[in-house]
Amino acid sequence: MSANEFDLSQALIELFEKNQSREFNEIPVFWERLGGTEFVEGKKVLDFGSGLGSMTIDLIKKGASEVHGIEIDDNYKRFAERNLELKYGDYKEKIKYFSDSLDSLEDESYDVIVSKDVFEHVIGLEELFPILI
């Protein structure tokens, strides 16, 4: 493995730690607004805009059977995979990350799709709905 293959720069590590602190406060409020987390229990879930992986890990903790995270930034995806491997190894078989287009998921189906703090950043959002639904 080359040095660049999993170069988890200090900036990404700091961003993840800052994100984790913020997510610790925001994720419970997110679930509360949705009426709880019972709807993910035992379900295969897509985390649309998975970022550094905070929500994917929380979804497994909340009882999802499997979670796929899709993120446009390949560096974020690589970080999430490495962080999963290093800190959350027990969840490795239940979480998979993608950084391709949504077309890469065309053979997949999901019981639930969640997205937190993403849609306001998507250009051409209306084109995504036929793909997501």
Side-chain angles (χ1 to χ4, degrees):
M1 179 181 320
S2 72
N4 289 334
E5 195 169 341
F6 281 112
D7 180 16
L8 301 180
S9 71
Q10 189 60 35
L12 272 182
I13 292 169
E14 288 172 11
L15 178 61
F16 179 79
E17 289 171 356
K18 180 181 175 184
N19 187 52
Q20 283 290 91
S21 296
R22 181 179 59 101
E23 294 291 326
F24 179 75
N25 294 318
E26 290 183 6
I27 287 177
V29 174
F30 176 78
W31 292 130
E32 187 177 308
R33 283 194 330 252
L34 294 175
T37 58
E38 293 79 20
F39 69 96
V40 302
E41 292 175 11
K43 306 288 184 179
K44 183 176 177 183
V45 181
L46 173 65
D47 179 9
F48 180 74
S50 56
L52 297 170
S54 298
M55 182 64 81
T56 59
I57 291 164
D58 195 62
L59 283 160
I60 291 297
K61 288 179 177 180
K62 299 295 189 225
S65 63
E66 183 178 356
V67 178
H68 290 178
I70 188 158
E71 170 58 44
I72 195 168
D73 187 322
D74 190 59
N75 287 325
Y76 280 25
K77 175 218 174 228
R78 288 176 48 232
F79 180 91
E81 288 174 328
R82 186 66 171 152
N83 189 56
L84 177 66
E85 182 181 324
L86 293 174
K87 295 183 178 178
Y88 301 97
D90 292 348
Y91 302 150
K92 247 174 91 172
E93 299 301 316
K94 295 181 176 188
I95 298 174
K96 185 173 180 182
Y97 294 103
F98 299 87
S99 63
D100 299 324
S101 70
L102 284 173
D103 295 337
S104 66
L105 302 176
E106 69 182 28
D107 293 335
E108 298 288 343
S109 64
Y110 299 94
D111 301 308
V112 177
I113 299 173
V114 298
S115 185
K116 181 179 174 299
D117 301 331
V118 174
F119 288 136
E120 64 270 24
H121 303 287
V122 176
I123 297 171
L125 185 60
E126 59 281 343
E127 295 171 15
L128 288 178
F129 285 106
I131 294 170
L132 290 175
I133 296 177

